[in-house]
Amino acid sequence: MPSASQQSAGAKTARPTGGKIWRPAKGEPVIGYVNQLISSAVGTGASDIHIEPRENELRVRFRIDGVLFNQAAPPVRMHPAIVSRLKIMANLDIAERRLPQDGRIRASVEGRSVDLRLSILPINHGEKCVIRILDDRAISVGLDSLGMGPETLKAFSKQILQLHGIVLVTGPTGSGKSTTLYSALQVMDSNCLNISTVEDPVEYELTSINQVHVLEHIGLSFAAALRSLLRQDPDVIMVGEIRDEETAHIAVQAALTGHLVLSTLHTNDAPSSITRLINIGVEPYLISAAVNAVLAQRLVRCICPHCSRPVDKIPRAETVYLESCGAPKKQLFSGEGCDNCRQTGYKGRIGLYEFLELNDELRDVITRNPSLGELKSLVREMGMRSLRDDGLEKVFAGQTTVKELIRVTES
């Protein structure tokens, strides 16, 4: 793929906060626009590109630091050609416009290899395209750079070096669960351990680790792959997601028979993971015996270090929120907006973490099949720091804002 500097003179550089209509230069091909779009997205640090046809216009957006920003867009008449170009790059059927399609593209941007995951969905005015940008640099982050507090980092690092049991990472889509798991796998000694993963799909290739790509349509499900892996003499197994009873039961049996299992769940907090497994169909006594720890997480945007300033007047809604949390009155900070952060006041993201480590008392309670309310009350009494607690600490440290904390932790 041509670099940004090699694009035609008519190509306009997209801006995250822009709302102008992109005007192609005379004779400029669609190929040039697609290359420029991908190059611009990678250059701005976007994680996703959204191309959405409307009745009379085409909307193009980048997701940067978890938030969507409008981009300069070409005329809607170019949309079919853009979709066809993307399908060709991903080896998809350009004639099929009625069914969803998924594909993968390997591109070179500014001399860097980048994987793109393409998803195409037919909607009422055409085909919507979402391109997920998989940058290998995202998984080169060490555990100590994710934003965990010293105590959480020490406890989590201890758990991922255990010989057996289940360690769960939980949170909604886009909360950084995969990055945490990949970082955990890279801490392990893959020369001495047989480490395997089951993923849907395999997003990043890891050296010296066996990775299985789930293909449901041919019967290669999470459960089927996991069952086969247990015959491969594994030490550590990472399951992309526990989403059904069969997968959960196999993961539990693997943990109980001397294997370390890392996996994810879609729950709002750490205690909810226990009740989620019970709801899936796993017996409480098996959960108490197999699960070692649960890490819940979210991602918040960081205040831009170039334009960070003390807040003179805190908005009333944020004051009420802080008072409801019982937080002390301290100096807060926010970003004014500058060229480094695209006038947003935020640059980059950091994790908020809630770590639940099962002890004997908690295992006894889980065996009795407690309600979620009982479980939450118990872990609070045991001193577990919540996502909100971790977030407030980062707010007072000047790393993020109350507004961000409310956005990612409150319903």
Side-chain angles (χ1 to χ4, degrees):
M1 176 182 292
S3 66
S5 61
Q6 295 173 311
Q7 305 300 319
S8 69
K12 305 291 185 181
T13 301
R15 296 181 180 274
T17 55
K20 296 181 180 179
I21 300 298
W22 179 82
R23 305 292 182 186
K26 186 175 181 180
E28 183 179 24
V30 169
I31 293 175
Y33 171 71
V34 172
N35 290 349
Q36 175 262 327
L37 180 69
I38 295 171
S39 182
S40 177
V42 172
T44 55
S47 61
D48 301 88
I49 304 170
H50 290 242
I51 304 173
E52 305 164 316
R54 297 292 181 260
E55 185 175 5
N56 298 312
E57 64 176 356
L58 187 63
R59 182 165 67 167
V60 177
R61 298 187 290 175
F62 289 171
R63 187 177 294 280
I64 302 174
D65 292 337
V67 179
L68 286 168
F69 294 93
N70 287 325
Q71 305 299 301
V76 69
R77 66 175 182 273
M78 290 184 62
H79 177 250
I82 292 171
V83 175
S84 293
R85 172 57 185 166
L86 289 170
K87 287 181 178 179
I88 290 171
M89 294 173 70
N91 294 316
L92 299 180
D93 184 358
I94 63 172
E96 180 56 73
R97 299 182 179 180
R98 303 163 300 171
L99 298 173
Q101 294 191 69
D102 296 295
R104 198 158 188 163
I105 302 168
R106 175 64 66 92
S108 177
V109 180
E110 297 290 349
R112 196 167 88 239
S113 180
V114 177
D115 277 341
L116 309 173
R117 201 169 71 203
L118 175 65
S119 174
I120 297 178
L121 178 69
I123 60 176
N124 53 343
H125 293 297
E127 293 175 285
K128 175 182 175 179
C129 301
V130 176
I131 304 169
R132 168 65 57 87
I133 300 171
L134 303 175
D135 191 343
D136 288 344
R137 294 183 304 180
I139 62 166
S140 61
V141 180
L143 279 177
D144 56 353
S145 301
L146 297 177
M148 295 184 196
E151 291 184 4
T152 301
L153 177 60
K154 181 179 179 181
F156 183 71
S157 299
K158 175 185 174 183
Q159 287 296 336
I160 61 175
L161 296 179
Q162 296 296 310
L163 297 177
H164 55 81
I166 297 176
V167 178
L168 296 171
V169 179
T170 182
T173 301
S175 59
K177 298 186 298 298
S178 294
T179 298
T180 298
L181 287 178
Y182 279 125
S183 297
L185 290 177
Q186 293 183 87
V187 171
M188 301 173 185
D189 187 352
S190 58
N191 291 320
C192 298
L193 298 172
N194 178 14
I195 305 173
S196 301
T197 74
V198 184
E199 305 171 67
D200 183 19
V202 173
E203 293 189 352
Y204 302 100
E205 293 186 9
L206 301 175
T207 306
S208 302
I209 291 178
N210 311 295
Q211 296 173 272
V212 179
H213 183 170
V214 167
L215 297 170
E216 295 277 359
H217 64 283
I218 62 170
L220 184 57
S221 62
F222 276 112
L226 186 52
R227 194 180 295 108
S228 294
L229 278 182
L230 290 177
R231 296 191 289 270
Q232 291 279 315
D233 186 30
D235 295 300
V236 180
I237 301 172
M238 187 193 92
V239 185
E241 181 185 351
I242 293 178
R243 59 175 65 164
D244 57 57
E245 182 179 356
E246 186 179 10
T247 304
H249 273 292
I250 299 172
V252 166
Q253 291 303 320
L256 293 175
T257 53
H259 308 90
L260 179 65
V261 179
L262 308 180
S263 190
T264 69
L265 276 178
H266 288 285
T267 60
N268 291 326
D269 52 40
S272 298
S273 298
I274 304 300
T275 55
R276 171 66 175 154
L277 289 174
I278 294 173
N279 292 336
I280 286 178
V282 183
E283 293 294 336
Y285 74 91
L286 291 176
I287 296 172
S288 68
V291 176
N292 289 347
V294 183
L295 180 74
Q297 66 179 73
R298 297 287 191 282
L299 290 177
V300 291
R301 291 184 293 173
C302 296
I303 298 172
C304 175
H306 301 280
C307 60
S308 177
R309 298 291 185 275
V311 175
D312 296 325
K313 186 178 180 181
I314 304 175
R316 175 62 181 166
E318 295 182 12
T319 301
V320 171
Y321 176 78
L322 291 173
E323 290 175 349
S324 70
C325 297
K329 292 185 178 180
K330 292 186 178 182
Q331 179 66 62
L332 302 181
F333 296 83
S334 67
E336 289 186 336
C338 63
D339 291 340
N340 290 290
C341 61
R342 306 173 302 277
Q343 308 303 323
T344 64
Y346 297 99
K347 187 174 180 64
R349 288 190 290 177
I350 192 170
L352 305 184
Y353 299 94
E354 173 181 290
F355 189 64
L356 175 61
E357 197 167 12
L358 273 64
N359 57 23
D360 291 341
E361 180 185 0
L362 194 51
R363 292 182 193 279
D364 288 341
V365 172
I366 292 172
T367 302
R368 299 196 296 267
N369 193 6
S371 67
L372 180 57
E374 292 177 73
L375 209 51
K376 287 185 175 181
S377 296
L378 178 59
V379 297
R380 278 197 297 267
E381 292 172 7
M382 293 170 56
M384 187 192 76
R385 295 177 73 252
S386 66
L387 288 165
R388 177 192 285 182
D389 294 333
D390 194 35
L392 287 171
E393 186 175 297
K394 290 180 170 68
V395 166
F396 295 136
Q399 294 177 296
T400 190
T401 63
V402 177
K403 183 178 180 181
E404 270 296 285
L405 177 59
I406 294 173
R407 181 178 71 86
V408 302
T409 62
E410 302 298 321
S411 299

